[in-house]
Short mmCIF file of all heavy atoms in Angstrom, two decimals:
data_model
loop_
_atom_site.label_atom_id
_atom_site.label_comp_id
_atom_site.label_asym_id
_atom_site.label_seq_id
_atom_site.Cartn_x
_atom_site.Cartn_y
_atom_site.Cartn_z
N LEU A 149 -5.51 2.08 -2.39
CA LEU A 149 -5.12 0.70 -1.96
C LEU A 149 -5.62 -0.40 -2.94
O LEU A 149 -6.68 -0.38 -3.35
CB LEU A 149 -5.63 0.31 -0.62
CG LEU A 149 -5.39 1.31 0.51
CD1 LEU A 149 -5.92 0.97 1.85
CD2 LEU A 149 -3.84 1.51 0.75
N GLY A 150 -4.74 -1.23 -3.47
CA GLY A 150 -5.16 -2.34 -4.37
C GLY A 150 -4.78 -2.26 -5.72
O GLY A 150 -4.73 -1.18 -6.36
N ARG A 151 -4.68 -3.41 -6.36
CA ARG A 151 -4.37 -3.44 -7.88
C ARG A 151 -5.67 -3.06 -8.59
O ARG A 151 -6.79 -3.26 -8.16
CB ARG A 151 -4.10 -4.95 -8.22
CG ARG A 151 -2.81 -5.40 -7.54
CD ARG A 151 -2.74 -6.92 -7.50
NE ARG A 151 -4.03 -7.68 -7.80
CZ ARG A 151 -4.93 -7.91 -6.87
NH1 ARG A 151 -4.84 -7.45 -5.62
NH2 ARG A 151 -6.07 -8.53 -7.23
N THR A 152 -5.54 -2.33 -9.77
CA THR A 152 -6.60 -1.76 -10.46
C THR A 152 -6.29 -1.60 -11.96
O THR A 152 -5.18 -1.81 -12.36
CB THR A 152 -7.18 -0.53 -9.66
OG1 THR A 152 -8.36 -0.33 -10.26
CG2 THR A 152 -6.19 0.69 -9.97
N SER A 153 -7.25 -1.06 -12.60
CA SER A 153 -7.13 -0.75 -14.11
C SER A 153 -6.67 0.59 -14.32
O SER A 153 -6.83 1.52 -13.37
CB SER A 153 -8.41 -1.08 -14.74
OG SER A 153 -9.41 -0.17 -14.33
N SER A 154 -6.15 0.94 -15.43
CA SER A 154 -5.81 2.27 -15.82
C SER A 154 -6.94 3.21 -15.88
O SER A 154 -6.81 4.34 -15.48
CB SER A 154 -5.03 2.32 -17.18
OG SER A 154 -5.84 1.77 -18.15
N ASP A 155 -8.07 2.82 -16.17
CA ASP A 155 -9.24 3.58 -16.29
C ASP A 155 -9.69 4.01 -14.76
O ASP A 155 -9.93 5.15 -14.63
CB ASP A 155 -10.46 2.77 -16.74
CG ASP A 155 -10.41 2.55 -18.26
OD1 ASP A 155 -9.60 3.25 -18.92
OD2 ASP A 155 -11.07 1.65 -18.82
N ASN A 156 -9.52 3.20 -13.80
CA ASN A 156 -9.76 3.57 -12.44
C ASN A 156 -8.77 4.57 -11.96
O ASN A 156 -9.03 5.59 -11.29
CB ASN A 156 -9.82 2.33 -11.52
CG ASN A 156 -11.06 1.52 -11.70
OD1 ASN A 156 -11.94 1.98 -12.08
ND2 ASN A 156 -11.03 0.26 -11.36
N ILE A 157 -7.48 4.28 -12.36
CA ILE A 157 -6.43 5.30 -11.91
C ILE A 157 -6.71 6.63 -12.43
O ILE A 157 -6.63 7.63 -11.70
CB ILE A 157 -5.07 4.76 -12.37
CG1 ILE A 157 -4.66 3.40 -11.72
CG2 ILE A 157 -3.89 5.83 -12.14
CD1 ILE A 157 -3.50 2.72 -12.28
N ASN A 158 -7.13 6.71 -13.72
CA ASN A 158 -7.35 8.06 -14.34
C ASN A 158 -8.69 8.72 -13.70
O ASN A 158 -8.70 10.03 -13.55
CB ASN A 158 -7.54 7.91 -15.93
CG ASN A 158 -6.22 7.59 -16.58
OD1 ASN A 158 -5.19 7.87 -16.12
ND2 ASN A 158 -6.36 6.76 -17.74
N LEU A 159 -9.59 7.92 -13.44
CA LEU A 159 -10.80 8.41 -12.74
C LEU A 159 -10.39 9.19 -11.43
O LEU A 159 -10.89 10.23 -11.22
CB LEU A 159 -11.84 7.42 -12.42
CG LEU A 159 -12.99 7.70 -11.58
CD1 LEU A 159 -13.91 8.66 -12.49
CD2 LEU A 159 -13.79 6.48 -11.25
N LEU A 160 -9.61 8.62 -10.61
CA LEU A 160 -9.28 9.10 -9.40
C LEU A 160 -8.28 10.36 -9.61
O LEU A 160 -8.44 11.34 -9.01
CB LEU A 160 -8.62 8.13 -8.56
CG LEU A 160 -9.47 6.95 -8.08
CD1 LEU A 160 -8.70 5.89 -7.26
CD2 LEU A 160 -10.78 7.37 -7.30
N ARG A 161 -7.46 10.20 -10.38
CA ARG A 161 -6.43 11.29 -10.80
C ARG A 161 -7.10 12.50 -11.27
O ARG A 161 -6.80 13.70 -10.94
CB ARG A 161 -5.45 10.89 -11.78
CG ARG A 161 -4.27 11.82 -12.02
CD ARG A 161 -3.18 11.09 -12.73
NE ARG A 161 -3.60 10.22 -13.83
CZ ARG A 161 -2.73 9.30 -14.24
NH1 ARG A 161 -1.53 9.10 -13.83
NH2 ARG A 161 -3.12 8.39 -15.20
N ASN A 162 -8.18 12.31 -11.97
CA ASN A 162 -8.76 13.45 -12.59
C ASN A 162 -9.82 14.26 -11.59
O ASN A 162 -10.32 15.27 -11.86
CB ASN A 162 -9.66 13.17 -13.86
CG ASN A 162 -8.82 12.70 -14.96
OD1 ASN A 162 -7.65 13.02 -15.03
ND2 ASN A 162 -9.33 11.79 -15.87
N ASN A 163 -10.04 13.57 -10.40
CA ASN A 163 -11.02 14.15 -9.62
C ASN A 163 -10.45 14.51 -8.17
O ASN A 163 -11.17 15.03 -7.32
CB ASN A 163 -12.21 13.20 -9.45
CG ASN A 163 -13.18 13.17 -10.55
OD1 ASN A 163 -14.01 14.02 -10.69
ND2 ASN A 163 -12.95 12.16 -11.38
N ILE A 164 -9.29 13.95 -7.88
CA ILE A 164 -8.61 14.24 -6.55
C ILE A 164 -7.26 14.91 -6.72
O ILE A 164 -6.42 14.37 -7.39
CB ILE A 164 -8.45 12.88 -5.76
CG1 ILE A 164 -9.87 12.18 -5.68
CG2 ILE A 164 -7.83 13.07 -4.47
CD1 ILE A 164 -9.69 10.77 -5.09
N PRO A 165 -7.11 16.07 -6.19
CA PRO A 165 -5.92 16.91 -6.44
C PRO A 165 -4.57 16.30 -5.83
O PRO A 165 -3.57 16.31 -6.42
CB PRO A 165 -6.11 18.22 -5.73
CG PRO A 165 -7.23 17.93 -4.72
CD PRO A 165 -8.10 16.85 -5.35
N ASN A 166 -4.66 15.56 -4.77
CA ASN A 166 -3.51 14.88 -4.15
C ASN A 166 -3.82 13.48 -3.85
O ASN A 166 -4.78 13.10 -3.14
CB ASN A 166 -3.24 15.55 -2.67
CG ASN A 166 -2.79 17.08 -2.87
OD1 ASN A 166 -1.72 17.35 -3.34
ND2 ASN A 166 -3.78 17.93 -2.69
N LEU A 167 -2.98 12.65 -4.58
CA LEU A 167 -3.23 11.14 -4.54
C LEU A 167 -2.05 10.46 -4.16
O LEU A 167 -0.93 10.79 -4.73
CB LEU A 167 -3.80 10.88 -5.95
CG LEU A 167 -4.54 9.43 -6.12
CD1 LEU A 167 -5.86 9.47 -5.30
CD2 LEU A 167 -4.98 9.45 -7.61
N VAL A 168 -2.22 9.43 -3.34
CA VAL A 168 -1.02 8.49 -3.14
C VAL A 168 -1.51 7.04 -3.15
O VAL A 168 -2.50 6.78 -2.79
CB VAL A 168 -0.52 8.84 -1.60
CG1 VAL A 168 0.63 7.69 -1.29
CG2 VAL A 168 0.04 10.12 -1.44
N TYR A 169 -0.58 6.31 -3.85
CA TYR A 169 -0.85 4.86 -3.92
C TYR A 169 -0.01 4.08 -2.85
O TYR A 169 1.11 4.41 -2.75
CB TYR A 169 -0.58 4.34 -5.29
CG TYR A 169 -0.56 2.75 -5.41
CD1 TYR A 169 -1.83 2.05 -5.27
CD2 TYR A 169 0.51 2.08 -5.33
CE1 TYR A 169 -1.81 0.56 -5.26
CE2 TYR A 169 0.64 0.64 -5.47
CZ TYR A 169 -0.54 0.01 -5.42
OH TYR A 169 -0.52 -1.31 -5.37
N ALA A 170 -0.52 3.05 -2.23
CA ALA A 170 0.21 2.31 -1.26
C ALA A 170 0.02 0.74 -1.56
O ALA A 170 -1.23 0.38 -1.53
CB ALA A 170 -0.14 2.72 0.27
N GLY A 171 0.97 0.10 -1.76
CA GLY A 171 0.79 -1.38 -1.96
C GLY A 171 2.08 -2.03 -2.43
O GLY A 171 3.22 -1.55 -2.20
N ALA A 172 1.93 -3.17 -3.02
CA ALA A 172 3.03 -3.94 -3.42
C ALA A 172 3.59 -3.91 -4.78
O ALA A 172 4.46 -4.60 -5.28
CB ALA A 172 2.75 -5.48 -3.07
N ASN A 173 2.82 -3.06 -5.68
CA ASN A 173 3.16 -3.02 -7.07
C ASN A 173 3.26 -1.50 -7.37
O ASN A 173 2.41 -0.70 -7.11
CB ASN A 173 2.04 -3.72 -7.93
CG ASN A 173 1.92 -5.20 -7.51
OD1 ASN A 173 2.98 -5.91 -7.85
ND2 ASN A 173 0.87 -5.64 -7.08
N ARG A 174 4.15 -1.27 -8.34
CA ARG A 174 4.05 0.07 -9.00
C ARG A 174 2.84 0.42 -9.71
O ARG A 174 2.29 -0.63 -10.29
CB ARG A 174 5.25 0.33 -9.90
CG ARG A 174 6.70 0.43 -9.19
CD ARG A 174 7.79 0.70 -10.10
NE ARG A 174 7.60 1.73 -11.02
CZ ARG A 174 8.30 2.00 -12.10
NH1 ARG A 174 9.23 1.31 -12.50
NH2 ARG A 174 7.99 3.17 -12.75
N ILE A 175 2.46 1.66 -9.82
CA ILE A 175 1.13 1.91 -10.39
C ILE A 175 1.33 2.96 -11.51
O ILE A 175 0.56 2.86 -12.53
CB ILE A 175 0.23 2.30 -9.24
CG1 ILE A 175 -1.27 2.43 -9.87
CG2 ILE A 175 0.49 3.69 -8.67
CD1 ILE A 175 -2.30 2.59 -8.77
N SER A 176 2.09 4.00 -11.28
CA SER A 176 2.15 5.17 -12.24
C SER A 176 3.35 5.89 -12.07
O SER A 176 3.88 6.08 -10.88
CB SER A 176 0.92 6.02 -12.09
OG SER A 176 1.01 7.13 -12.98
N ASP A 177 3.83 6.50 -13.13
CA ASP A 177 5.17 7.41 -12.95
C ASP A 177 4.84 8.81 -12.41
O ASP A 177 5.62 9.46 -12.11
CB ASP A 177 5.89 7.51 -14.32
CG ASP A 177 6.60 6.15 -14.56
OD1 ASP A 177 6.94 5.47 -13.74
OD2 ASP A 177 6.71 5.89 -15.80
N ASP A 178 3.44 9.13 -12.42
CA ASP A 178 3.18 10.46 -12.15
C ASP A 178 2.14 10.60 -10.93
O ASP A 178 1.45 11.59 -10.71
CB ASP A 178 2.47 11.31 -13.30
CG ASP A 178 1.21 10.55 -13.90
OD1 ASP A 178 1.00 9.43 -13.32
OD2 ASP A 178 0.67 11.18 -14.87
N ILE A 179 2.12 9.55 -10.07
CA ILE A 179 1.39 9.51 -8.77
C ILE A 179 2.34 9.14 -7.72
O ILE A 179 3.30 8.28 -7.90
CB ILE A 179 0.20 8.55 -8.89
CG1 ILE A 179 -0.92 9.05 -9.96
CG2 ILE A 179 -0.38 8.35 -7.57
CD1 ILE A 179 -2.05 8.00 -10.03
N ASP A 180 2.10 9.88 -6.55
CA ASP A 180 2.94 9.45 -5.38
C ASP A 180 2.73 7.98 -5.08
O ASP A 180 1.57 7.48 -5.14
CB ASP A 180 2.50 10.28 -4.18
CG ASP A 180 3.09 11.75 -4.31
OD1 ASP A 180 4.01 12.01 -5.18
OD2 ASP A 180 2.57 12.60 -3.59
N GLU A 181 3.79 7.26 -4.70
CA GLU A 181 3.72 5.87 -4.32
C GLU A 181 4.61 5.56 -3.13
O GLU A 181 5.56 6.02 -2.92
CB GLU A 181 4.26 5.03 -5.51
CG GLU A 181 3.49 5.11 -6.81
CD GLU A 181 4.11 4.25 -7.83
OE1 GLU A 181 5.22 3.89 -7.78
OE2 GLU A 181 3.36 3.76 -8.77
N VAL A 182 3.97 4.78 -2.33
CA VAL A 182 4.65 4.01 -1.24
C VAL A 182 4.44 2.52 -1.53
O VAL A 182 3.36 2.01 -1.18
CB VAL A 182 4.21 4.57 0.30
CG1 VAL A 182 4.97 3.68 1.36
CG2 VAL A 182 4.08 5.94 0.41
N ILE A 183 5.52 1.77 -1.84
CA ILE A 183 5.38 0.57 -2.35
C ILE A 183 6.44 -0.34 -1.61
O ILE A 183 7.42 0.03 -1.07
CB ILE A 183 5.57 0.48 -3.90
CG1 ILE A 183 7.04 0.84 -4.38
CG2 ILE A 183 4.43 1.21 -4.62
CD1 ILE A 183 7.25 0.58 -5.79
N CYS A 184 6.14 -1.71 -1.84
CA CYS A 184 7.12 -2.70 -1.48
C CYS A 184 7.15 -3.62 -2.69
O CYS A 184 6.20 -4.26 -3.09
CB CYS A 184 6.70 -3.53 -0.23
SG CYS A 184 8.04 -4.81 0.22
N ASP A 185 8.13 -3.52 -3.51
CA ASP A 185 8.27 -3.98 -5.03
C ASP A 185 7.83 -5.44 -4.99
O ASP A 185 8.63 -6.48 -4.67
CB ASP A 185 9.68 -3.82 -5.40
CG ASP A 185 9.72 -4.00 -6.93
OD1 ASP A 185 8.84 -4.68 -7.52
OD2 ASP A 185 10.71 -3.41 -7.68
N GLY A 186 6.59 -5.64 -5.57
CA GLY A 186 6.08 -7.12 -5.62
C GLY A 186 6.81 -7.88 -6.66
O GLY A 186 7.08 -9.05 -6.36
N TYR A 187 7.28 -7.24 -7.70
CA TYR A 187 8.08 -7.96 -8.80
C TYR A 187 9.40 -8.46 -8.17
O TYR A 187 9.71 -9.66 -8.42
CB TYR A 187 8.25 -7.01 -9.79
CG TYR A 187 8.97 -7.56 -11.04
CD1 TYR A 187 8.35 -8.32 -12.05
CD2 TYR A 187 10.40 -7.42 -11.28
CE1 TYR A 187 8.90 -8.98 -13.12
CE2 TYR A 187 11.08 -8.07 -12.41
CZ TYR A 187 10.34 -8.80 -13.26
OH TYR A 187 10.88 -9.33 -14.32
N ALA A 188 10.13 -7.61 -7.49
CA ALA A 188 11.34 -8.07 -6.88
C ALA A 188 11.11 -9.22 -5.71
O ALA A 188 11.89 -10.10 -5.63
CB ALA A 188 12.00 -6.89 -6.29
N GLY A 189 10.01 -9.04 -5.04
CA GLY A 189 9.62 -10.00 -4.09
C GLY A 189 9.47 -11.46 -4.61
O GLY A 189 9.85 -12.42 -4.16
N ILE A 190 8.79 -11.42 -5.76
CA ILE A 190 8.39 -12.66 -6.44
C ILE A 190 9.75 -13.35 -6.95
O ILE A 190 9.99 -14.48 -6.72
CB ILE A 190 7.46 -12.51 -7.58
CG1 ILE A 190 6.16 -11.91 -7.14
CG2 ILE A 190 7.20 -13.88 -8.36
CD1 ILE A 190 5.68 -12.54 -6.01
N LEU A 191 10.70 -12.46 -7.47
CA LEU A 191 11.87 -13.08 -7.90
C LEU A 191 12.69 -13.62 -6.79
O LEU A 191 13.29 -14.72 -6.89
CB LEU A 191 12.75 -11.90 -8.55
CG LEU A 191 12.29 -11.39 -9.96
CD1 LEU A 191 13.13 -10.31 -10.44
CD2 LEU A 191 12.20 -12.47 -11.01
N ALA A 192 12.67 -13.00 -5.73
CA ALA A 192 13.37 -13.57 -4.53
C ALA A 192 12.67 -14.80 -4.11
O ALA A 192 13.39 -15.83 -3.63
CB ALA A 192 13.20 -12.56 -3.35
#
Side-chain angles (χ1 to χ4, degrees):
L149 306 175
R151 302 160 341 279
T152 193
S153 66
S154 57
D155 289 342
N156 285 341
I157 295 169
N158 290 331
L159 173 68
L160 298 181
R161 182 165 41 197
N162 292 336
N163 287 278
I164 304 173
N166 295 282
L167 200 59
V168 175
Y169 168 77
N173 299 293
R174 289 182 54 190
I175 190 168
S176 174
D177 288 332
D178 56 359
I179 291 178
D180 288 344
E181 297 180 332
V182 183
I183 64 171
C184 184
D185 194 337
Y187 185 82
I190 301 317
L191 289 178

